[in-house]
Amino acid sequence: MRSSIGHRRAIDLIGENVRKHLRLASLLTAAIVGSSSLATVPAASADTGADGTDLATEEIVALVTEVAPVPITAAQTTESSEQIVATLDGGGKATIAAAPDDGISVLLPDGEETMSVSLPGAGHLDDATVGEDGSVTYLGDANTPSINVIAGEEEIRASAIISDASQTERFEYDFGGGVSVEIQQDGSAIAFTAEEVTDPDTGVTSLVEKIVADVAVPWARDAAGVNVPTRYESSGSALIQVVEHRGGDYAYPIVADPTFDRPNFFQYRMRFNRAETAIIYDKGLGALGGLACGTMAPVCLLAAGSLVWNAGIAEKSRPKKCVQVTATQPYVVPGLVWWVDTYRGGSCR
């Protein structure tokens, strides 16, 4: 199968778009040879494309590889009848379940689960098969897009493969109870949990947010590499990718993904509300001793000067903003990384 795909890619280098369309069309009808599957997982059924052809595991792998804007190389994995486990850079594991209902989870080096996310359409997907590139595919059916997951050493990409215009435009990835999802100004997203902390001396209570997932700006492309309009929405603990494919003239299959950056073992955000921002601006560095920063206390002290400066910017903005500080400890880069900026919405009230 690999040599056949490579031959077609060589033809494609001639540079004519028509040849690219022909090659992609041929992928949809190619026979699948040598794809591996999990130890006791039954052979997956085929997913039916718009022209009645079958999309099996290696065909999906080839399509995702072809249109993805950034390649991801699979991390080293081990397989069992229940899961595929990828070893992440700097320690920790990404677990991709054989049963689609069990989704994806990320564990820290000490075994603590830091992120868990479900897969869209899980109840209608077949059990996992592992492709030659190390990615994991859950085949769908005529009504349910297939899902392809690849765990790199520093990120996890989940791709939905939309076979035709009759399939859904909304793909829900749920992080579970206690998690909130927030869409950022650039279209990316974060998932976080919030913990109340109270300063024992002043009795002031604040929220410290633990970031459990950073999600890159979404993308969606059709089989010819044409961008399809897409965006994220949030609903409680769910991240929803909307792919507006029904109203356009696109070449199916369409591939759409969220890419999750692996969480660091220390990744927090401290958001001050309007009253707290005003206190920081009015009283300067002395105000920070009376505010509850909890886990973020050392960071609040390190960032004190920047917090005061940005609190001034927030207070003078119209409408008013609030100040926040974010900190993370990467696995592969030693030292704490922090930054201060302003925000609207959320706790800013």
Side-chain angles (χ1 to χ4, degrees):
M1 181 66 182
R2 285 292 180 187
S3 61
S4 175
I5 293 173
H7 177 64
R8 294 190 181 97
R9 285 180 176 166
I11 293 174
D12 185 55
L13 290 175
I14 295 175
E16 298 180 13
N17 288 336
V18 64
R19 291 183 182 273
K20 185 173 183 178
H21 286 293
L22 288 172
R23 185 180 64 78
L24 288 168
S26 69
L27 280 172
L28 299 181
T29 56
I32 302 306
V33 179
S35 62
S36 61
S37 60
L38 293 176
T40 58
V41 175
S45 61
D47 183 22
T48 303
D51 59 357
T53 57
D54 293 333
L55 295 174
T57 298
E58 293 303 326
E59 293 168 329
I60 286 175
V61 167
L63 287 165
V64 174
T65 301
E66 176 66 32
V67 302
V70 178
I72 295 178
T73 300
Q76 182 179 354
T77 61
T78 58
E79 300 174 21
S80 71
S81 61
E82 296 182 351
Q83 61 191 16
I84 304 94
V85 179
T87 301
L88 303 176
D89 194 8
K93 307 286 185 182
T95 300
I96 306 169
D101 286 336
D102 295 331
I104 305 166
S105 60
V106 175
L107 282 71
L108 299 177
D110 63 5
E112 178 188 355
E113 183 178 88
T114 184
M115 183 188 87
S116 177
V117 64
S118 67
L119 298 174
H124 300 281
L125 298 173
D126 283 345
D127 283 354
T129 57
V130 181
E132 291 181 7
D133 68 340
S135 68
V136 178
T137 297
Y138 304 90
L139 294 176
D141 53 33
N143 300 312
T144 307
S146 298
I147 302 295
N148 175 267
V149 179
I150 186 167
E153 292 184 344
E154 296 184 358
E155 66 266 305
I156 301 168
R157 184 178 67 206
S159 302
I161 295 84
I162 306 167
S163 295
D164 59 55
S166 70
Q167 292 191 333
T168 183
E169 292 189 317
R170 300 176 66 84
F171 300 87
E172 182 175 302
Y173 299 85
D174 198 324
F175 291 92
V179 178
S180 298
V181 175
E182 178 183 294
I183 311 302
Q184 306 298 289
Q185 289 185 354
D186 65 353
S188 63
I190 62 169
F192 62 92
T193 59
E195 175 187 358
E196 283 193 350
V197 293
T198 302
D199 184 275
D201 297 324
T202 65
V204 175
T205 299
S206 300
L207 288 178
V208 176
E209 298 169 351
K210 180 179 181 181
I211 299 171
V212 299
D214 284 302
V215 191
V217 175
W219 59 266
R221 289 182 175 177
D222 74 359
V226 175
N227 289 326
V228 181
T230 186
R231 68 182 184 279
Y232 288 144
E233 295 179 355
S234 63
S235 177
S237 60
L239 174 73
I240 301 165
Q241 183 172 7
V242 180
V243 184
E244 298 177 346
H245 64 93
R246 290 176 175 170
D249 183 17
Y250 299 111
Y252 291 89
I254 290 170
V255 179
D257 98 306
T259 298
F260 311 97
D261 285 345
R262 62 84 47 80
N264 294 321
F265 59 81
F266 184 94
Q267 192 161 303
Y268 288 87
R269 182 174 69 179
M270 179 72 201
R271 284 189 147 181
F272 297 97
N273 60 32
R274 284 188 180 174
E276 293 165 338
T277 298
I279 291 171
I280 295 172
Y281 174 59
D282 290 337
K283 297 185 178 181
L285 298 179
L288 293 173
L291 297 177
C293 288
T295 304
M296 288 282 281
V299 180
C300 287
L301 295 177
L302 285 172
S306 186
L307 279 167
V308 173
W309 174 267
N310 280 275
I313 295 174
E315 278 291 287
K316 295 173 183 177
S317 64
R318 294 293 181 271
K320 285 188 177 182
K321 296 182 179 179
C322 299
V323 68
Q324 64 183 5
V325 56
T326 307
T328 184
Q329 172 64 66
Y331 280 97
V332 294
V333 179
L336 185 70
V337 179
W338 58 265
W339 61 95
V340 178
D341 57 2
T342 60
Y343 75 99
R344 287 195 182 103
S347 303
C348 189
R349 55 183 182 273

